[in-house]
Amino acid sequence: MPRIAYFGPQGTFTEQAAGSLAGQGDELVPVDTIASALASVRAGETDAACVPVENSVEGAVPATMDALADGEPVTAVAEAVLPVRFTVLTGQDTEQIRTVASHPHALAQVRGWLAEHLPQAQLVASTSTAAAAVGVQRGEFDAAVTAPVAVTHYPLRVLATDVADVPDAVTRFLLLRRPATPPPPTGADRTSIIAFMPDRTAALAEVLNELAVRGISLTRLDARPTKGRLGEYRFHLDMAGHIAEQRIGDALAALHRRCTNVRFLGSFPRADGVPSTVSATAGDTDFVTAADWVAAIRNGDQA
């Protein structure tokens, strides 16, 4: 039975995302941290891992970015995008609530609601939304901001549902496996990489130019420190397209020449189904025609 590790415990948005990406009969295995989820895949203990990668309100998830950059490579084969609406669980009467716990990203997305409805409560960060619910069960906190699925796992009173300061907020999740042949292109794909930049002037501009001249659209660009020297960064880039396309493969080859290291994180179908836009001179046929022209010149044929 295939096993999918996910950032747990039970009752998180990641569990919901893992369920949407799992195949029939797959076993979902909760683990304590994002790093542990990826470590289980690298060690062969599980077949895949589901982790959050970015939120439309709070941006990239640093723990995922760091875990993808460290250790042996893993690659994404699918993604899921979930609307983020929260449920507030408690074991107390409203007037007795003095502490509200949740993951920092969750607290940031309901700060306005909490200020209006529980102004007396102190906000406490927990490792996950579900861990906050566990803390309420144990008497460590008075209330927890959780994913809606948490109500099926924890026997707590529902204080409020459908809570969100930004109604259209979403979180994107990745399903990651050990490196293998990427899923075939669909025409609506995303390619993710980590580029480790050399310490020289305009290094990032050079990388972005390699994408621009090939008509490649970036869908995400984030920087994280390398944790070595102060001022050294690695860049996480998502681009529209698939490595099977000539323009994407050509761009990655160029980045491999320019960067100190490039880690391929996968080419996979986009959850939103938005097709890639290819400029009039950047299609596969254009690359083949240009390569044939150069080959002909090298062979002395300039007809």
Side-chain angles (χ1 to χ4, degrees), residues 250-273:
D250 198 57
L252 296 192
L255 297 190
H256 190 269
R257 294 196 306 271
R258 291 189 179 276
C259 299
T260 56
N261 187 28
V262 177
R263 173 166 284 197
F264 176 69
L265 296 180
S267 288
F268 47 90
R270 292 176 57 150
D272 57 17

Side-chain angles (χ1 to χ4, degrees), residues 10-11 15 89 147-155:
Q10 289 182 317
E15 180 192 17
L89 301 180
V149 70
V151 300
T152 65
H153 296 296
Y154 306 104

Side-chain angles (χ1 to χ4, degrees), residues 3-87:
R3 306 176 78 231
I4 300 176
Y6 69 89
F7 175 38
Q10 289 182 317
T12 60
F13 283 103
T14 312
E15 180 192 17
Q16 185 178 340
S20 72
L21 293 169
Q24 186 174 6
D26 288 357
E27 178 187 1
L28 302 185
V29 182
V31 296
D32 291 338
T33 66
I34 290 170
S36 296
L38 297 191
S40 72
V41 175
R42 290 173 173 134
E45 298 167 353
T46 58
D47 301 284
C50 183
V51 296
V53 65
E54 67 172 328
N55 174 266
S56 61
V57 176
E58 290 298 296
V61 180
T64 298
M65 296 171 69
D66 292 344
L68 289 172
D70 299 331
E72 296 178 5
V74 292
T75 55
V77 296
E79 68 176 21
V81 176
L82 298 184
V84 180
R85 314 280 295 184
F86 298 94
T87 296

